[in-house]
Amino acid sequence: MNKEIIIALISFLGTMMGTLGGIVASAKLTNYRISELEKKVELHNNFARRVPVIEEKIKVINHRLTDLERQ
């Protein structure tokens, strides 16, 4: 084989390994960021479930205060 062909094959293999390594690293970063976003959404959903309960409790407290002020 010619030296040029061997060098071309080695260059091709190096390029392929670099490309695949970049794709794997990018996929890992994307998966990490998605999991972090899922955690944030979970926290937001828990907060969104609790707000109506808090609002109802505030309404009850306001009614009780109004009743006490009338006395």
Side-chain angles (χ1 to χ4, degrees):
M1 267 193 182
N2 292 342
K3 289 181 183 179
E4 293 84 14
I5 294 175
I6 294 172
I7 291 172
L9 289 174
I10 292 171
S11 297
F12 175 73
L13 290 175
T15 302
M16 289 300 292
M17 289 175 59
T19 301
L20 292 176
I23 291 170
V24 169
S26 176
K28 285 182 181 180
L29 178 61
T30 301
N31 287 337
Y32 171 75
R33 293 185 72 191
I34 287 173
S35 68
E36 291 299 310
L37 284 172
E38 286 174 346
K39 289 177 187 175
K40 288 182 181 181
V41 167
E42 177 89 19
L43 288 173
H44 174 72
N45 286 344
N46 288 337
F47 181 73
R49 278 187 225 124
R50 292 175 60 194
V51 167
V53 174
I54 293 169
E55 288 175 342
E56 186 62 34
K57 288 182 179 182
I58 289 172
K59 284 180 186 177
V60 170
I61 291 169
N62 283 335
H63 285 296
R64 293 178 79 184
L65 282 173
T66 303
D67 290 343
L68 287 173
E69 288 173 349
R70 288 182 189 160
Q71 292 178 359

